[in-house]
């Protein structure tokens, strides 16, 4: 029977005996593999199979990380984990097409340029690989140049921050916010499918820049949570994905709502980068201050480690669930 060749996203909650899978590295191969899946375990229920290669853990690519690092990422979230895995056939397909495995592929399949999603045990992708090997000989320089320009424009578009406007539903906003020990700031740990956060375009691992038009990069986790709650049933979140975050940090530019539609700031060619807003030098004091009386009281600079617990926005303000993750 034919099967779809695509990555699988395995979401599981820890049982009394753990997750029920064994992770190991293999000689001569990069990455971490599933050696064994125990019967009737959370891992088996989530669709994990022996021989699968682990690509992401909780939305973070771990293909180049050591066994110890991958294990620590799995343990970082105490009672649940999300693993993006590929079987041998899918792994070979993606490597042959030189595609990076992503969580999106687990939902939409592997798209080959000029074809629909790959199916039928690899027949389609093998034919496409044969075509690809001949295509460079036939491709004109003009077509190649146009393709590079389109790709460049597409990449620049993806570097813009995103403004996500969320209207609270019956089960809340539908996303989990957390901080990480190794990185400053607040991050989106997970987004519930079909939730207001999902519909607004919020994605796992996005970094939160502004809440309701106010920069919160230097705020404590509890302050950010309180400020999201301050508008009742609506929240405006300005976020950047990992690539956009790296781009703005290299330029020393603080993303704002203007950058959502305005042209991106360009690299500074003379002198060291300075803190900028919308491409112009701006002192830190120009950031808008939070006006909420509960939050605007003077707060000393944080000397404690970043908060690692995660607030789950699934219930109303009076029933906000808290997941402690130490």
């Amino acid at each position: 029977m034919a099967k779809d060749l695509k990555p699988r996203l395995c979401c599981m909650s820890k049982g009394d005996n753990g997750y029920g899978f064994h992770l190991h590295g293999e000689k001569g191969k990069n990455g971490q593999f599933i050696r064994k899946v125990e019967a009737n375990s959370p891992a088996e229920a989530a669709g994990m199979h022996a021989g699968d290669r682990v690509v992401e853990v909780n939305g973070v690519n771990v293909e180049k990380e050591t066994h110890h690092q991958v294990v620590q990422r799995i343990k970082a979230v105490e009672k649940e984990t999300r693993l993006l895995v590929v079987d041998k056939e899918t792994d070979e397909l993606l490597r042959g097409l030189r595609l990076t495995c992503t969580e999106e592929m687990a939902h939409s399949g592997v798209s080959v340029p000029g074809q629909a999603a790959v199916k039928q045990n690899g027949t389609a992708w093998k034919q496409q690989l044969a075509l690809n090997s001949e295509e460079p000989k036939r491709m004109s320089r003009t077509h190649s140049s146009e393709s590079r320009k389109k790709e460049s424009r597409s990449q620049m578009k993806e570097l813009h921050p995103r403004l996500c406007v969320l209207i609270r539903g019956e089960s809340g906003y539908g996303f989990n916010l957390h901080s990480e020990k190794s990185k400053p700031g607040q991050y989106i740990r997970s987004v519930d499918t079909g939730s207001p956060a999902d519909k607004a375009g919020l994605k796992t691992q996005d970094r939160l820049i502004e809440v309701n038009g106010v920069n919160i990069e230097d705020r404590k986790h509890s302050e950010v949570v309180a400020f999201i709650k301050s508008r009742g049933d609506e929240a405006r979140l300005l976020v950047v994905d990992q690539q956009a975050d790296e781009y703005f940090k290299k330029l020393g530019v603080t993303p704002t709502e203007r950058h959502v539609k305005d042209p991106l700031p360009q690299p500074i060619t003379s002198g060291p980068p300075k803190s900028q807003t919308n491409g112009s030098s701006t002192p830190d004091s120009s950031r808008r201050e939070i006006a909420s009386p509960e939050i605007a009281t003077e707060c000393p600079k944080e000397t404690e480690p970043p908060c690692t617990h995660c607030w789950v926005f699934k219930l109303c303000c009076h029933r906000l669930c808290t997941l402690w993750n130490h």
Side-chain angles (χ1 to χ4, degrees):
M1 182 177 178
K3 68 174 183 178
D4 290 356
L5 291 180
K6 63 181 183 180
R8 305 190 313 281
L9 184 61
C10 302
C11 303
M12 62 198 85
S13 299
K14 185 179 292 186
D16 295 337
N17 297 318
Y19 293 122
F21 69 89
H22 301 260
L23 186 71
H24 77 136
E26 296 185 2
K27 290 183 178 181
K29 294 183 180 180
N30 294 325
Q32 300 298 312
F33 295 80
I34 305 301
R35 181 174 63 83
K36 178 183 177 182
V37 177
E38 297 175 1
N40 302 317
S41 66
E44 183 183 57
M48 188 174 288
H49 302 293
D52 285 344
R53 184 170 69 86
V54 180
V55 179
E56 291 184 359
V57 175
N58 297 325
V60 179
N61 188 287
V62 298
E63 292 179 281
K64 295 183 179 180
E65 294 190 354
T66 65
H67 178 82
H68 176 74
Q69 289 173 322
V70 176
V71 170
Q72 291 305 310
R73 285 199 182 277
I74 295 173
K75 294 169 62 178
V77 181
E78 187 176 356
K79 294 183 179 180
E80 62 181 9
T81 193
R82 299 166 62 249
L83 303 184
L84 184 67
V85 301
V86 289
D87 58 25
K88 183 178 180 180
E89 290 179 335
T90 305
D91 200 12
E92 290 177 352
L93 161 65
L94 295 175
R95 290 179 187 276
L97 295 175
R98 297 182 181 180
L99 295 176
T100 300
C101 180
T102 64
E103 189 171 313
E104 183 180 354
M105 292 178 180
H107 303 291
S108 60
V110 180
S111 296
V112 178
Q115 284 194 341
V118 176
K119 294 185 178 182
Q120 298 182 355
N121 254 352
T123 302
W125 77 264
K126 290 178 181 178
Q127 293 174 349
Q128 183 64 25
L129 285 179
L131 291 174
N132 286 344
S133 65
E134 297 295 330
E135 189 172 1
K137 300 178 183 179
R138 304 193 305 267
M139 184 181 295
S140 66
R141 292 183 180 181
T142 301
H143 182 268
S144 178
S145 176
E146 291 176 353
S147 297
R148 285 195 296 269
K149 289 179 181 179
K150 289 181 180 180
E151 183 178 356
S152 177
R153 287 194 295 267
S154 176
Q155 290 175 345
M156 291 299 288
K157 183 178 180 181
E158 292 174 356
L159 294 176
H160 284 271
R162 306 190 316 278
L163 182 62
C164 302
V165 181
L166 289 66
I167 305 299
R168 186 191 297 271
E170 295 180 358
S171 300
Y173 291 124
F175 71 92
N176 297 351
L177 182 71
H178 78 139
S179 56
E180 299 183 5
K181 290 182 179 179
S182 59
K183 295 187 291 186
Q186 303 296 318
Y187 294 82
I188 305 302
R189 185 174 68 83
S190 65
V191 177
D192 295 341
T193 303
S195 66
D198 186 23
K199 295 176 182 178
L202 208 60
K203 299 184 183 300
T204 302
Q205 289 303 309
D206 282 344
R207 186 167 75 88
L208 190 57
I209 304 295
E210 292 184 359
V211 175
N212 299 327
V214 180
N215 187 285
I216 52 81
E217 291 178 280
D218 296 329
R219 297 287 173 175
K220 294 181 180 180
H221 182 85
S222 57
E223 292 177 321
V224 176
V225 170
F227 201 56
I228 292 174
K229 294 165 56 180
S230 67
R231 283 206 177 182
D233 292 333
E234 179 180 336
R236 292 165 53 87
L237 308 183
L238 184 70
V239 298
V240 289
D241 60 23
Q242 185 175 355
Q243 289 182 325
D245 197 16
E246 291 175 355
Y247 180 81
F248 278 90
K249 284 181 178 178
K250 286 180 180 179
L251 297 182
V253 176
T254 300
T256 68
E257 285 192 20
R258 292 183 179 180
H259 293 121
V260 174
K261 294 183 178 181
D262 285 0
L264 287 172
Q266 298 302 309
I268 301 173
T269 56
S270 59
K274 298 179 181 180
S275 179
Q276 301 181 24
T277 301
N278 200 24
S280 60
S281 180
T282 305
D284 291 340
S285 60
S286 66
R287 290 181 179 175
R288 293 173 58 189
E289 294 297 329
I290 297 178
S292 172
E294 293 86 356
I295 303 175
T297 54
E298 292 187 4
C299 298
K301 293 184 178 179
E302 288 188 58
T303 57
E304 61 190 76
C307 171
T308 57
H309 58 274
C310 177
W311 297 78
V312 184
F313 295 93
K314 288 189 177 180
L315 303 177
C316 63
C317 296
H318 302 293
R319 299 182 61 193
L320 186 66
C321 298
T322 306
L323 298 179
W324 296 93
N325 177 22
H326 295 284

Short mmCIF file of all heavy atoms in Angstrom, two decimals, residues 98 128-141 143-144:
data_model
loop_
_atom_site.label_atom_id
_atom_site.label_comp_id
_atom_site.label_asym_id
_atom_site.label_seq_id
_atom_site.Cartn_x
_atom_site.Cartn_y
_atom_site.Cartn_z
N ARG A 98 17.67 18.00 -1.43
CA ARG A 98 18.38 19.06 -0.70
C ARG A 98 17.40 20.02 -0.01
O ARG A 98 17.55 21.24 -0.04
CB ARG A 98 19.31 19.84 -1.64
CG ARG A 98 20.42 18.98 -2.24
CD ARG A 98 21.35 19.79 -3.11
NE ARG A 98 22.40 18.95 -3.70
CZ ARG A 98 23.36 19.39 -4.51
NH1 ARG A 98 23.38 20.68 -4.85
NH2 ARG A 98 24.26 18.58 -4.99
N GLN A 128 11.44 12.86 -10.35
CA GLN A 128 11.80 14.27 -10.32
C GLN A 128 13.30 14.45 -10.18
O GLN A 128 13.88 15.36 -10.77
CB GLN A 128 11.08 14.96 -9.15
CG GLN A 128 11.34 16.46 -9.06
CD GLN A 128 10.78 17.21 -10.26
OE1 GLN A 128 9.85 16.74 -10.89
NE2 GLN A 128 11.37 18.35 -10.56
N LEU A 129 13.96 13.58 -9.42
CA LEU A 129 15.41 13.67 -9.28
C LEU A 129 16.10 13.47 -10.62
O LEU A 129 17.09 14.11 -10.94
CB LEU A 129 15.90 12.63 -8.27
CG LEU A 129 15.63 12.94 -6.79
CD1 LEU A 129 16.16 11.81 -5.93
CD2 LEU A 129 16.27 14.25 -6.39
N ALA A 130 15.56 12.55 -11.42
CA ALA A 130 16.14 12.32 -12.73
C ALA A 130 15.99 13.56 -13.61
O ALA A 130 16.90 13.93 -14.36
CB ALA A 130 15.47 11.12 -13.40
N LEU A 131 14.82 14.20 -13.52
CA LEU A 131 14.60 15.42 -14.29
C LEU A 131 15.51 16.54 -13.81
O LEU A 131 16.06 17.31 -14.59
CB LEU A 131 13.13 15.86 -14.16
CG LEU A 131 12.10 14.96 -14.86
CD1 LEU A 131 10.70 15.44 -14.51
CD2 LEU A 131 12.30 14.97 -16.37
N ASN A 132 15.68 16.61 -12.48
CA ASN A 132 16.52 17.68 -11.94
C ASN A 132 17.96 17.57 -12.40
O ASN A 132 18.66 18.55 -12.57
CB ASN A 132 16.47 17.65 -10.40
CG ASN A 132 15.15 18.17 -9.88
OD1 ASN A 132 14.40 18.80 -10.60
ND2 ASN A 132 14.86 17.89 -8.62
N SER A 133 18.45 16.33 -12.58
CA SER A 133 19.83 16.15 -13.00
C SER A 133 20.06 16.66 -14.42
O SER A 133 21.17 17.01 -14.79
CB SER A 133 20.20 14.66 -12.92
OG SER A 133 19.43 13.91 -13.84
N GLU A 134 19.00 16.68 -15.25
CA GLU A 134 19.13 17.17 -16.62
C GLU A 134 18.76 18.64 -16.75
O GLU A 134 19.19 19.33 -17.66
CB GLU A 134 18.19 16.35 -17.55
CG GLU A 134 18.54 14.87 -17.62
CD GLU A 134 19.91 14.65 -18.25
OE1 GLU A 134 20.31 15.46 -19.10
OE2 GLU A 134 20.57 13.66 -17.89
N GLU A 135 17.97 19.14 -15.79
CA GLU A 135 17.43 20.48 -15.92
C GLU A 135 18.51 21.56 -16.00
O GLU A 135 18.37 22.49 -16.79
CB GLU A 135 16.49 20.78 -14.75
CG GLU A 135 15.72 22.07 -14.93
CD GLU A 135 14.66 22.23 -13.86
OE1 GLU A 135 14.56 21.35 -12.99
OE2 GLU A 135 13.94 23.23 -13.92
N PRO A 136 19.61 21.50 -15.21
CA PRO A 136 20.60 22.56 -15.31
C PRO A 136 21.18 22.72 -16.71
O PRO A 136 21.58 23.81 -17.10
CB PRO A 136 21.68 22.12 -14.31
CG PRO A 136 20.96 21.27 -13.34
CD PRO A 136 19.93 20.55 -14.15
N LYS A 137 21.24 21.63 -17.48
CA LYS A 137 21.78 21.71 -18.82
C LYS A 137 20.86 22.49 -19.74
O LYS A 137 21.32 23.10 -20.72
CB LYS A 137 21.99 20.29 -19.37
CG LYS A 137 22.95 19.45 -18.55
CD LYS A 137 23.06 18.05 -19.11
CE LYS A 137 23.97 17.18 -18.24
NZ LYS A 137 24.05 15.80 -18.75
N ARG A 138 19.55 22.46 -19.44
CA ARG A 138 18.59 23.12 -20.31
C ARG A 138 18.23 24.52 -19.84
O ARG A 138 17.68 25.31 -20.58
CB ARG A 138 17.30 22.29 -20.36
CG ARG A 138 17.50 20.84 -20.81
CD ARG A 138 16.16 20.21 -21.14
NE ARG A 138 15.22 20.30 -20.04
CZ ARG A 138 15.06 19.35 -19.13
NH1 ARG A 138 15.81 18.26 -19.17
NH2 ARG A 138 14.18 19.49 -18.17
N MET A 139 18.51 24.81 -18.57
CA MET A 139 18.09 26.10 -18.01
C MET A 139 18.93 27.24 -18.56
O MET A 139 20.15 27.18 -18.54
CB MET A 139 18.22 26.05 -16.48
CG MET A 139 17.71 27.32 -15.80
SD MET A 139 17.91 27.23 -14.01
CE MET A 139 16.78 25.90 -13.64
N SER A 140 18.29 28.26 -19.02
CA SER A 140 19.00 29.42 -19.55
C SER A 140 19.48 30.30 -18.41
O SER A 140 18.96 30.24 -17.29
CB SER A 140 18.08 30.24 -20.46
OG SER A 140 17.03 30.81 -19.71
N ARG A 141 20.47 31.16 -18.70
CA ARG A 141 20.98 32.06 -17.68
C ARG A 141 19.92 33.06 -17.24
O ARG A 141 19.85 33.44 -16.06
CB ARG A 141 22.20 32.82 -18.23
CG ARG A 141 23.40 31.91 -18.47
CD ARG A 141 24.59 32.74 -18.93
NE ARG A 141 25.74 31.90 -19.16
CZ ARG A 141 26.94 32.35 -19.56
NH1 ARG A 141 27.09 33.65 -19.80
NH2 ARG A 141 27.94 31.52 -19.75
N HIS A 143 16.63 32.62 -17.06
CA HIS A 143 15.69 31.96 -16.15
C HIS A 143 16.32 31.77 -14.78
O HIS A 143 15.68 31.96 -13.74
CB HIS A 143 15.28 30.60 -16.74
CG HIS A 143 14.26 29.88 -15.90
ND1 HIS A 143 14.63 28.99 -14.92
CD2 HIS A 143 12.91 29.94 -15.89
CE1 HIS A 143 13.55 28.50 -14.34
NE2 HIS A 143 12.49 29.07 -14.91
N SER A 144 17.60 31.38 -14.76
CA SER A 144 18.30 31.18 -13.49
C SER A 144 18.39 32.47 -12.71
O SER A 144 18.20 32.51 -11.50
CB SER A 144 19.71 30.62 -13.75
OG SER A 144 20.40 30.46 -12.54
#
